[in-house]
Structure formats: C-alpha cells, structure tokens
Amino acid sequence: MHSKGQGNGERTHRSADARAPARPPQRHHRRKGAVFCVATLLAASAFAGCSSQTGPPALTWYINPDNGTQAKLAETCTTQANGKYRINTALLPRESTGQREQLVRRLAAQDSGIDLMSLDVPYLAEFANADFVRPFTDEERQDLTEGMLEGPLEAAQWEEDLYAVPFNTNTQVLWYRKSVAEQAGLDIGPDAQLTWAQVIEAAEQTKTTVQVQGKRYEGYMVWINSLIMSAGGEILENPEAGKDVRPALDSEAGKRAAEVVKLLADSPAKAADLSNSDEGTTQAGFAADNGGFMTNWPFIFAAANDELRADIGWARWPSVTEGEESRPPLGGIDLAIGAFTKHPDLAVEAVKCITSPESQKTYTLAEGLLPTIESVYDDADVKKAFPMADLLRQSVDDAAPRPVTPYYPDITEAVQRTWHPESGVGDGTPKSAADLIVAVLHDERLL
C-alpha cells in the first residue's frame, strides 16, 4: 500500500550523519564550480537530470510514493510549459524517514540534480535551517500562496521566510461503523465531539475494535502530539531555541495523554496488532467484521468499497477531556526547490503549476489527500467525493502541528522510543521522554 501524506515513517536506525549539518559558510546561490551527479546512490531512480538529453531543461521532482498522480501532474505541467521546461520524477522511499534521509544525503553533497522535492511537513525547518532548500522571494510568495489555508502555510515557513509551497494537507477524523454506533446507542454525527473514553467504552460494549496507529514510527508521534495538544499541552515549550529547547510534555497534559494511550492498551477494544499498526493495518482492521472505530486520514474513505462506504460515518477526532474540543493531527506535503538547482526560475514556474487549484483538485480526487487552497474545498466534484469536506476543512483549521524545529528528527525519535510499546505507558512516560530529549540534544545519549 502506498503511503499517504505524513505520519507513516518507518523508524530507522539513526546514523552518524542523520542530523542535517548546520548552515554552510556560503549560501547556495553563490555556489559555483563542480556539481555532483551521484547516480550511484540511487540506481533505481536514475533520471534525466543526470543525463545529457537534448531539448528543454529537465527539472527533476523527487516525489513520495502515491498512486501515480504526481507523475501525471508532471506530465500536465510539462505540456503547459509549452517547451520551456520538462519535469521528470524520481521516486523516494515509501516511509517518510527514509525519504528525509535520502534527500539529506544528496543535498549535503550539494546535488544540483534535485530541482523539486515533495517534503513531509515536519522536516521543513531542518532543511531550511541547513540551507538545503531555496527560499521564495516576497514577490513569489504573494503569487504562489493566494487563497491558501493558514495552517499549512505556517508550516511551510521557517524564521518568517517561505521555504516551500503547501502541495497538500491532511488531517484525521473519527471514522465509525454506523451499525456499531447504533448498537452502542451513540448520539454521533459530523458535529459530535466524543472523548476517547467514550469511544473505547462503545467498542467494548459492542465487542469491536478502536483502530489507531501505534507502531513505533512517525504515525505514532502524530497520535501522541495530538493527544497532548488536545489536553492543552505541547511537546516543546520553545522549539525555536534549537538544541536548548525545553520539553513541555512532562505536564498534566502529558499525563492525560498517557492515560488515553494506557486506557486503550489495557482495553479488549484494542487491535491485536496495536504496537505494530500503521495506516494500512488500521484500515484493514476497521473493514474487518469486528471493526468499529478508527482514527485515520481521509484516503480511507476513497479506498473503501461500496458496501463498507455505506456503513461509514465520521465525526471530529476524539477529545481527551469531555467538553473540550480536540486538536486533530496535521500532516501534508510541501513542495520545495533544491538549493543547488541549476534552474531556480523554471522551478518556481513549475511549483506554481503543480500547486495550482486545478492541480490540487486533481490530486485530491485521485489520492484522497486534502487541498491547501480554500476554494478547492467548495468545488462540487470535491464535495461529492468527500461529503465530509466541511469537517475536514474545520479539522485542518483546528489541527495540532508537530514541533517546528531543525531538531525534529531527534525529538520524534525520543518520544517514540519512550512511549512505545503502549502497554508500558504510564504517569512517568512524559518525564522519561522529556529527559531523553534533553540528553540526546546535548549529546549525552544516543538514539
């Protein structure tokens, strides 16, 4: 199954070069001299950017796996360029952490073959801080971001500069089987705000499951972050402080989040594979005979067969505290320009085409990922394909972004390590995570 948006990064062993280097002594646009075509690093993704093909300049767009729609957009924008440039695509690994590592390695070598890249939103700050991506000018920003949603746009910035253009965004809702909710006597609908405790109780009552992403990977971090922010807390107090950040999750909100994780881990309503579950396995678990409830991205609705789709209902992502609204997860993909591209002006034109309202509508309908331009949500075809579009739009507005820091890879790995498996989570887990974050950032511990 293809990965969707963010939150599906398989954990990998952290190598010595996994942390992006600090800013180089000179910015990329002054760089001259040799460029490196490191095709041997990616034999399977050899592409025209390393070749001597004739014709218009070739832009290479590194894409995350999908169902082929990014490649189709590359063809469409190549046609619309009318011979000015062409776009080739190169496929990144399936998991978001693998995508990040591959891009970091190539950009650390100042690879000019990366013209465009689809970048998972939590890594934008790291890439910007390392000067791996080209900042957009104020004029370009005004031209490229008109009508874009505030949340995804904020996530594409670092130190007030725009380093990427939001290509798609993503959020989660509570999906439920209507037949199960009726059996449980739940008063539920698109405007309902259930708590996690209520959802778990309903699943126990009906002997069904609550499916969440609990594997030790980025998707689990997405769940933990939203639980903490739904309880009124946050993971970092001052993410802008670099390695001197102060963790904030050792708090009452962190403990409330841990209580929810433990409540599900100890419940018969948990999935049998909870500690190894990702978006795909939870989707399958929800479709099983004992499926009842699930939090997941909206692609699952487009992927459901007609029989299952007729029994699917949706509501706002569950809250931690009764009477308080939740902070649903926020994900998505930004489109960034490589700092060492030979064709920066053409790359900007390509970004405008790929992130246009027409392109975003195409991507939403084909891939089940959400647009970043507000007007696309009102499109009749989008509303027909996603009848919960209004709820998704509201959820994006109220979503909980993950910490914006160049040290995010260390932060997320420390949180995942201390909160996994779910059966071991307790009152002391938030403090363990906070202590590990500080120790890792100050080179006192290794991940």
Side-chain angles (χ1 to χ4, degrees), residues 168 274 295 297:
N168 62 64
L274 171 63
T295 52
W297 313 100

Side-chain angles (χ1 to χ4, degrees), residues 208-229:
T208 57
T209 60
V210 178
Q211 300 282 338
V212 300
Q213 293 78 52
K215 188 168 72 173
R216 186 174 158 182
Y217 80 138
E218 187 60 24
Y220 188 34
M221 175 65 167
V222 168
W223 186 35
I224 296 168
N225 182 64
S226 277
L227 285 175
I228 292 174
M229 294 194 75

Side-chain angles (χ1 to χ4, degrees), residues 4 68 105 112 122 136 155 214 257 261 264 267 314 334 366 384 416:
K4 293 288 182 182
R105 288 171 182 166
S112 65
F136 290 88
V261 174
L264 180 58
S267 169
W314 49 86
D334 288 334
K384 181 179 180 181
Q416 293 172 38

Side-chain angles (χ1 to χ4, degrees), residues 77 85 136 143-144 165 335 346-359:
C77 290
Y85 61 81
F136 290 88
D143 184 43
L144 295 170
V165 177
L335 192 60
L346 294 179
V348 171
E349 292 188 29
V351 167
K352 183 173 183 177
C353 179
I354 293 169
T355 61
S356 70
E358 295 78 16
S359 295

Side-chain angles (χ1 to χ4, degrees), residues 53-95:
Q53 294 183 18
T54 58
L59 304 176
T60 301
W61 176 16
Y62 278 76
I63 60 173
N64 58 307
D66 62 5
N67 294 319
T69 309
Q70 287 175 94
K72 291 179 180 176
L73 290 178
E75 294 176 1
T76 299
C77 290
T78 295
T79 300
Q80 294 180 5
N82 196 27
K84 198 172 184 180
Y85 61 81
R86 68 177 186 275
I87 304 175
N88 299 322
T89 57
L91 193 62
L92 289 166
R94 177 178 181 274
E95 309 296 350

Side-chain angles (χ1 to χ4, degrees), residues 14 19-22 100 122-123 125-127 129 158 236 239-245 403-414 437 440-443 447:
R14 183 174 183 274
R19 186 183 299 176
R100 170 199 163 269
Y123 302 125
E126 178 192 18
F127 279 55
N129 189 62
W158 172 244
L236 299 179
E240 71 284 354
K243 65 186 301 180
D244 294 322
V245 295
V404 179
T405 165
Y407 293 88
Y408 183 77
D410 293 312
I411 304 297
T412 184
E413 179 65 19
I437 288 172
V440 168
L441 292 184
H442 291 274
D443 300 322
L447 292 171

